[in-house]
Amino acid sequence: MINMDGRGQLSAEYILMVGFVLLVILLIAFFATDQTEQNSIAAAARIGAANTSAEIGILNTTTRPIRVTRVDMTSGTNITITIFLSNTDLSSDQKQTILAGVQQAIENEGFTVQNNAGNNLTIDTLKHDYLIKLS
């Protein structure tokens, strides 16, 4: 009877196990980076709006205080981020100032704002298209 060497089978099993573990790690990394991108943009939008609205209140004492009450974000490929403010009686200049602060905060996170048209910001990344607006 011929004695079979078991080392070849052990090497093949090791390669299969390493490949499977690597595949799982890559899948987890893909989904984690997707969520990290969304969280970074939403957090930057909230912080930028909060800082700029506080600045408006400090520079113009006749304006009612403006707070960011909440930030809503849809899911999918085309994501809409809506920033809700406590003071809805803002002038168009004040809204533009808040959007400029949001744009600056997002660009500080390393993202590029493609368009600042009217009361909206648009951002196109490899994974999602974002529309940021004030409510």
Side-chain angles (χ1 to χ4, degrees), residues 118-129:
N119 292 330
N120 299 322
L121 298 175
T122 57
I123 303 167
D124 296 328
T125 64
L126 294 175
K127 297 181 181 185
H128 301 286
D129 296 332

Side-chain angles (χ1 to χ4, degrees), residues 3-90:
N3 187 4
M4 299 291 285
D5 188 2
R7 290 187 217 161
Q9 181 179 352
L10 184 64
S11 296
E13 290 173 356
Y14 180 72
I15 290 171
L16 285 173
M17 288 300 293
V18 168
F20 179 73
V21 169
L22 186 61
L23 178 67
V24 169
I25 290 172
L26 288 175
L27 287 173
I28 290 172
F30 174 77
F31 290 114
T33 57
D34 185 44
Q35 288 300 312
T36 301
E37 175 186 285
Q38 292 178 30
N39 291 341
S40 295
I41 290 178
R46 181 180 193 92
I47 290 169
N51 290 343
T52 309
S53 61
E55 183 180 321
I56 289 172
I58 290 169
L59 295 177
N60 187 357
T61 57
T62 60
T63 303
R64 285 186 2 205
I66 306 167
R67 292 185 336 268
V68 176
T69 56
R70 75 177 200 254
V71 176
D72 286 345
M73 185 168 71
T74 62
S75 60
T77 304
N78 296 324
I79 297 175
T80 301
I81 299 174
T82 307
I83 303 170
F84 291 90
L85 303 171
S86 62
N87 187 351
T88 57
D89 299 330
L90 299 175

